[in-house]
Amino acid sequence: MLSTKTLAELIRRKHAVLVELCDIGRRQQRVVASGETATLLQLLSSKQTLISSLQQLEREMAPYHAENPDDRIWPSAAERARCAQQADECNQLLEQIVTLEKDSADRMTARRNDVAAQLRQVYAAGQARDAYAANVSRT
């Protein structure tokens, strides 16, 4: 049987990483809204590091998934309850992170579409100016 102390520590670490990811997701929303590309790239880099840590934690937790949770031996009922509470919070944080990511992606898509529309207008204006200049030079 795997150690419940180790499991509790893994869940604690997972919770901490998810809290950080959630915080970065909120900052990412503000940065996307303001259009600060350099800051966004820094946040994405930080987020990638945290995602790698989360993946490693999930690998370390994999053996526990095969266990029956009711067969685990806990030092106390309070420890078991605390660990279960933190695991539930992890699930809630994951839901928040997914929502934040979707919202940020939607906002980035809208911003990209706005920039593309502005570029098309600038290009069309340049073509009109060039056509006008060519017409004026013929007369």
Side-chain angles (χ1 to χ4, degrees):
M1 179 159 299
L2 300 168
S3 165
T4 53
K5 183 177 180 181
T6 302
L7 174 61
E9 176 61 19
L10 290 169
I11 289 174
R12 186 199 63 74
R13 289 173 37 210
K14 178 180 178 179
H15 186 272
V17 169
L18 290 172
V19 166
E20 285 187 64
L21 278 170
C22 204
D23 289 344
I24 287 177
R26 287 187 198 99
R27 284 189 296 179
Q28 181 178 324
Q29 281 186 319
R30 290 189 298 271
V31 168
V32 166
S34 68
E36 299 173 40
T37 306
T39 305
L40 178 61
L41 292 175
Q42 289 173 343
L43 283 176
L44 293 175
S45 175
S46 297
K47 194 160 64 171
Q48 183 57 49
T49 301
L50 289 170
I51 289 170
S52 295
S53 295
L54 186 61
Q55 289 170 330
Q56 178 60 36
L57 285 166
E58 287 297 332
R59 284 190 292 275
E60 291 177 44
M61 292 174 70
Y64 292 94
H65 297 301
E67 285 187 340
N68 181 348
D70 294 330
D71 292 342
R72 293 186 185 127
I73 300 169
W74 291 89
S76 69
E79 284 292 314
R80 181 180 183 159
R82 186 181 58 73
C83 188
Q85 171 72 27
Q86 212 163 36
D88 287 342
E89 288 175 14
C90 285
N91 291 334
Q92 292 169 10
L93 286 165
L94 279 169
E95 288 178 21
Q96 288 178 28
I97 291 165
V98 168
T99 300
L100 290 168
E101 286 300 312
K102 184 183 178 323
D103 184 62
S104 289
D106 291 347
R107 288 180 185 204
M108 284 190 285
T109 298
R111 182 171 286 286
R112 180 200 65 205
N113 291 345
D114 289 346
V115 169
Q118 291 171 3
L119 288 173
R120 284 191 296 273
Q121 288 175 348
V122 168
Y123 179 73
Q127 284 185 316
R129 183 195 67 236
D130 292 346
Y132 179 77
N135 238 356
V136 169
S137 66
R138 286 189 213 153
T139 57

